[in-house]
Amino acid sequence: MAVPKRKMSRSNTRHRRSRWRAQAPRLVPVTIEGRTHRVPRRLARAYERGLLAPED
C-alpha cells in the first residue's frame, strides 16, 4: 500500500474527495413472467433465474 511521504493539507484532501461522484447503476431491460423490468446489469441474471424478485 502506498504511504504518503508528507502530510496532505486539509484543503487538498477535501478538494480531492469532492471530485468523487457516485454513479447511477446502468439499468437493462429484463423480461420476467411476460413483464419488462429495468434492473441493474450485474443483477440481470439473478432476476432471470428467479433468485431475486422484482419490487413492482
Side-chain angles (χ1 to χ4, degrees):
M1 185 170 120
V3 178
K5 196 161 196 168
R6 296 181 190 274
K7 181 175 181 179
M8 183 178 262
S9 71
R10 180 179 291 175
S11 174
N12 284 344
T13 300
R14 290 182 176 168
H15 186 259
R16 185 189 73 244
R17 288 180 180 168
S18 71
R19 292 178 167 275
W20 182 86
R21 295 283 187 271
Q23 296 178 355
R26 292 179 302 211
L27 301 178
V28 296
V30 174
T31 304
I32 305 168
E33 298 176 359
R35 296 183 60 194
T36 302
H37 302 277
R38 292 177 56 84
V39 298
R41 184 180 191 91
R42 66 190 184 91
L43 298 176
R45 279 217 177 121
Y47 280 101
E48 289 171 352
R49 294 177 181 170
L51 300 175
L52 296 172
E55 295 179 9
D56 297 330

